[in-house]
Amino acid sequence: MELLKKMCEIHAPAGEELAMKEFLLNYINDNQSNWKVQPILHHGHGFQDNLILVFGKPRTAIFAHLDSIGFTVKYNNEIVKIGGPVTTKGIVLVGTDSIGKIEGKIVKKDSKMYIDFEREIDRGTSLTFKVNFRDTDNFVQSCYMDNRLGAWNCLEVAKTLENGIIVFSSWEEHGGGTVGYLGKFIQEKYGVMQALISDITWVTDGVQHGKGCAISLRDSGLPRKSYVNRIVEIAKQNNIPFQLEVEDAGGSDGNGLQKSDYPWDWCFVGAPEDNVHSPDEKVHKADIKSMVALYSELMKEL
Amino acid sequence: MELLKKMCEIHAPAGEELAMKEFLLNYINDNQSNWKVQPILHHGHGFQDNLILVFGKPRTAIFAHLDSIGFTVKYNNEIVKIGGPVTTKGIVLVGTDSIGKIEGKIVKKDSKMYIDFEREIDRGTSLTFKVNFRDTDNFVQSCYMDNRLGAWNCLEVAKTLENGIIVFSSWEEHGGGTVGYLGKFIQEKYGVMQALISDITWVTDGVQHGKGCAISLRDSGLPRKSYVNRIVEIAKQNNIPFQLEVEDAGGSDGNGLQKSDYPWDWCFVGAPEDNVHSPDEKVHKADIKSMVALYSELMKEL
Amino acid sequence: MELLKKMCEIHAPAGEELAMKEFLLNYINDNQSNWKVQPILHHGHGFQDNLILVFGKPRTAIFAHLDSIGFTVKYNNEIVKIGGPVTTKGIVLVGTDSIGKIEGKIVKKDSKMYIDFEREIDRGTSLTFKVNFRDTDNFVQSCYMDNRLGAWNCLEVAKTLENGIIVFSSWEEHGGGTVGYLGKFIQEKYGVMQALISDITWVTDGVQHGKGCAISLRDSGLPRKSYVNRIVEIAKQNNIPFQLEVEDAGGSDGNGLQKSDYPWDWCFVGAPEDNVHSPDEKVHKADIKSMVALYSELMKEL
């Protein structure tokens, strides 16, 4: 879990994904010689801070978002949300501005939120949760499992991937807006129209720790039933533990693909976590194992 | 009204439009020899479960959505909405899962909704209203007038259509996402930028039963005034009864076209119904007649 | 401020931008001989009522929306909103229908809004605030500074612009839907991916009258930090007065660009106003001066 820990520690809230992209480029550069297939990389001009890896003759694309939730500093150290973070009083935030490093607790006054810090912070400075990474026998726990774990899953799958695309996207937590053009590029250049969303979901009454990766039949978005059924069938035939999720809230890059001007079949497949969007996101290791195994099979059989 | 009755009875909530598409393909196959012009059909790979019919040299496209509202089964027979159905206690829902047929009433407990059924239903199973189709002298009444009647209108118009496109779309009731790429296909291949939305609207203070098909000047979406004015003018000149609608809520595939990356002029033109999104949607036959007549003229003159 | 006054007086709520476009075409025709560079104009078929000006070899596009907020007449002189106008009782609205000119005050009854007028107004008639343009030593004040001032800024910048694109867009106040395809055209034909949003923002605790044009680090939309940083740097280096804005509400054509299927870097740069979306929108002249100066530099250096 050392790699995952490093990824959780990178400051990359929505709008500032560059550091995550550079980390991945370095990692890929250092490790791809050990991968079964070396991918073609697409990034740079026209891709903003996103990154696409193409392996062999792809039929399916995995989408994993690089950005995290966080906060933006407004006036007089007031803070506003990036995405939907938990905002409990006392949570420790960190960041950097033109003067130097920042660390302070969330405080609330008159229905506004502030960071408690000794000087005025530059306007527009982004803050993220202070990382406390906990690795135990059965669980990993930290802020930003969502979605550094989804990105980490892609790097695991990449080791043996022969045919497929991996997309690292931006802004998923705050307004989206990249999977539309990334999907356009993929459909136009590679003719791929099948997507898997590598992201982290919620522990609920129906989806519990340790019972396997969740295959989401729907959330606020409603994927095409016939596509989702194929995914469930592959999971069953390979005896990979999984759980079926049905929600009517929450969303993912799947919604962004669906609303784009390109025909996408998509399905959210990801481990569930407790303490969603807090500094204490907690995932069971059996579910992580199931997630990697399921993606590896899906990329072969879809 | 036998054809309309059959269409209302097809189980095809958003995300599962395949059965409606197959019904239409069979119907077209059986009937198009009697049509004035035989259309080119576009469907299959890259079109998901949608269907496009192209007649002659088209200038205008009609969009009619195939999907209906409904419910998805969650955990322990809890149900969540597909689109915005009425959820009154006691409404009878039907569906099928891996074990067999399902029929049960909506019950409510602790602000959650359930279907009252004797066994646990498979997660992700979709349910729709049980159909009770009523055909009287002046009215037709059933669930899913919205939008099986809009699709039926297209089949009526198809009989004499010489130049134009008919698009059967998906997911309109829940998130949309197909008219973007269907519109893209149409603009790129046929250069058509004018749209009519064949869908069912509401009986209100300003739009009443039996006074003619509604031409919607706006709902939550705001079409270009100059285009809508042309439609009103054509209706007037042909002495077809119609009513002008002005609302600030509700939406249609028109909104999806407007938000796509293609320039669309669109207008919602459709009969009004009472008991919207319930098992008892009720439409006046004079308004249906007016709707077919108006579309036939619009496709000639626009 | 005579030109700005004329622009504020044009009736062009969202969906009816044609009059503004025609005004601009006439203005450009009459004045471009005095401009440093004569632009290529794109408009007409496939552009609805929008207008694009291309100067030299563009690297950056300015987007200014032509539409204003307003009201639509429903049934029995009830009115509903176009966009988000202030609706205080007594505000005077004007418009024209098939019978003639309309002028009347907003009245409210039973949680509905009406225009107080002596006869029934045609359904679908659009109404706008009656203009009271006030030009003092330090301020200009009128309805529709948002966004006639943003469009006026473009005309000022056009005088000396050598390389760049100016886009006049529609529907920004109500649902958007044009910058997607206008942006598509620009990226495909000119390869331009950098945008500035020429629009008017709010006077707040952090952004005040007379302290310079606002550079918005974020609102409900979150632009890419690295792009916004470049803009701030250019403003600093040229000693142009400016203010940094951070909000979590409000939006602009920037959101429309971000949600399109094209990769856009965008930033909202505009003077702040008091009495937002009312008949009394008030902007400081020093901020207008700063806005024009800042755009002129940005178009050179970005």
Side-chain angles (χ1 to χ4, degrees), chain C residues 69-80:
Chain C
I69 49 176
F71 300 84
T72 313
V73 179
K74 205 170 156 176
Y75 318 128
N76 305 312
N77 292 2
E78 187 185 343
I79 55 175
V80 292

Side-chain angles (χ1 to χ4, degrees), chain B residues 188 191 193 204-207 217-226 243-248 257-266, chain C residues 14-16 45-49 71-75 80-82 112 123-126 171 174-178 180-181 184 260-262:
Chain B
E188 291 179 353
M193 299 177 176
T204 60
D205 284 357
V207 175
L217 301 175
R218 63 167 287 184
D219 47 30
S220 69
L222 198 61
R224 191 156 66 134
K225 195 77 191 300
S226 56
Q243 305 179 75
L244 291 176
E245 178 184 84
V246 179
E247 293 293 332
D248 59 350
L257 290 174
Q258 173 120 359
K259 287 181 188 302
S260 78
D261 291 345
Y262 291 80
W264 280 102
D265 277 320
W266 61 273
Chain C
E16 293 175 70
H45 184 70
F47 291 90
Q48 295 185 316
D49 298 325
F71 300 84
T72 313
V73 179
K74 205 170 156 176
Y75 318 128
V80 292
K81 293 192 275 186
I82 297 172
K112 292 183 178 179
R123 293 182 182 188
T125 300
S126 65
W171 276 296
H174 195 103
T178 63
Y181 74 79
K184 171 182 186 291
S260 78
D261 291 346
Y262 292 80

Side-chain angles (χ1 to χ4, degrees), chain B residues 1-12 16-32 35 41 43 49-51 53 66 147-149 151-156 168:
Chain B
M1 300 279 97
E2 271 310 298
L3 175 61
L4 179 59
K5 180 167 184 287
K6 272 187 202 161
M7 290 168 74
C8 286
E9 286 167 346
I10 293 170
H11 179 84
E16 293 175 72
E17 293 86 353
L18 184 59
M20 267 304 296
K21 181 198 148 191
E22 288 181 346
F23 177 87
L24 289 173
L25 283 175
N26 285 331
Y27 176 87
I28 292 162
N29 192 47
D30 292 349
N31 290 277
Q32 65 171 333
W35 292 358
L41 271 57
H43 61 102
D49 297 325
N50 305 291
L51 173 60
L53 281 57
L66 297 177
N147 187 32
R148 301 301 151 75
L149 182 53
W152 178 91
N153 172 59
C154 291
L155 296 179
E156 288 300 299
F168 295 107

